[in-house]
């Protein structure tokens, strides 16, 4: 019962851990917020420090979403109505932590792609697999990670539904997708201006 009430705060706290900032500082000796796009995500860390720091950031940001959602699934017993509402709240808490990290005074948060992928991997690996396929096709086709991310955000709720997700989890996926798209507004502006960097 105690952990049931503490998990939202724990998920927010975990989500707040800025892996990209930590990895880039340790392994590439740069302040990732002042390099490239200025984003703390895996894409920008790879841009600044190469593949290994990029993959470590991706793994860290995915795990901090996956861990609290796995706990939420266990605590709520999965599939029932209240359980899905609880799981959705935990997803939103982890995602909000990543976007507005308490340790960075709620500024300089990420765009939520890797953290969302981790959260939904815990609930529906199939939905993430479907979304990942779209992501890969879009990145290959355009050479821009941001296009893959925005596309994946749009696909996610449909993939969750198609994979058998409940209405509650689907609505949560739509909200997360909307958050990701909004966070990419600078990228979208650059894409329309033709100035978004290729990978
Ligand atoms: O620096 O503004 P930038 O060019 O870095 O970065 C734009 C980028 C920001 O996002 C990231 C996160 C890294 C994403 C790596 C892809 C990992 C695999 C994604 C699977 C997608 C399926 C999950 C659905 C979640 C929406 O966009």
């Amino acid at each position: 019962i105690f952990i049931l009430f503490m998990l939202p705060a724990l998920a927010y706290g975990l989500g707040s851990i800025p892996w990209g900032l930590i990895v880039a500082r340790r392994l590439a000796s740069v302040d990732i917020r002042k390099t490239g796009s200025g984003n703390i995500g895996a894409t920008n860390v790879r841009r600044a420090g190469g593949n290994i720091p990029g993959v470590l950031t991706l793994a860290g940001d995915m795990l901090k979403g996956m861990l609290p959602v796995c706990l939420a699934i266990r605590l709520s017993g999965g599939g029932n109505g209240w359980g899905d509402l609880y799981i959705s709240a935990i997803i939103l808490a982890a995602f909000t932590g990543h976007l507005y990290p308490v340790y960075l005074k709620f500024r300089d948060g990420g765009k939520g792609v890797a953290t969302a992928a981790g959260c939904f991997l815990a609930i529906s690996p199939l939905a993430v697999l479907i979304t990942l396929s779209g992501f890969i096709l879009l990145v290959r086709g355009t050479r821009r990670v941001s296009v893959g991310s925005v596309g994946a955000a749009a696909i996610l709720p449909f993939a969750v539904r198609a994979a058998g997700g409940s209405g509650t989890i689907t609505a949560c996926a739509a909200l997360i997708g909307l958050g990701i798209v909004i966070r990419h507004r600078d990228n979208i502006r650059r894409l329309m201006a033709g100035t978004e960097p290729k990978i």
Side-chain angles (χ1 to χ4, degrees):
I1 288 289
F2 180 69
I3 181 82
L4 200 71
F5 281 104
M6 286 309 289
L7 193 57
L10 183 79
Y12 175 78
L14 271 176
S16 276
I17 301 173
W19 283 118
L21 186 74
I22 296 164
V23 168
R25 184 182 292 155
R26 295 265 161 165
L27 267 54
S29 308
V30 294
D31 185 338
I32 197 63
R33 296 167 296 183
K34 296 182 170 68
T35 322
S37 69
N39 188 46
I40 63 165
T43 305
N44 201 36
V45 173
R46 179 179 178 275
R47 201 176 272 136
N51 283 331
I52 291 172
V55 168
L56 285 175
T57 302
L58 177 63
D61 284 347
M62 284 181 75
L63 274 174
K64 73 189 191 182
M66 210 166 161
L67 197 80
V69 176
C70 279
L71 278 170
I73 294 168
R74 280 177 176 262
L75 285 170
S76 68
N80 55 80
W82 284 109
D84 282 352
L85 214 54
Y86 182 71
I87 292 163
S88 297
I90 297 303
I91 293 174
L92 288 172
F95 185 75
T96 305
H98 183 72
L99 266 57
Y100 306 100
V102 62
Y103 316 117
L104 301 179
K105 298 174 185 161
F106 311 106
R107 286 192 303 252
D108 299 316
K111 300 184 184 180
V113 183
T115 303
C119 288
F120 284 94
L121 200 59
I123 313 179
S124 178
L126 178 60
V128 173
L129 197 70
I130 295 167
T131 310
L132 179 64
S133 313
F135 174 87
I136 290 170
L137 285 175
L138 287 168
V139 174
R140 281 206 184 156
T142 64
R143 314 302 304 164
R144 269 110 176 167
V145 178
S146 56
V147 177
S149 296
V150 172
I155 296 166
L156 184 69
F158 297 98
V160 165
R161 192 57 168 175
S166 68
T168 305
I169 297 291
T170 303
C172 174
L175 204 61
I176 295 288
L178 189 67
I180 292 173
V181 173
I182 293 170
R183 282 300 254 198
H184 281 81
R185 57 188 181 276
D186 288 346
N187 300 84
I188 294 166
R189 223 170 273 140
R190 285 195 293 269
L191 284 164
M192 294 201 290
T195 55
E196 178 77 335
K198 293 192 180 189
I199 52 164

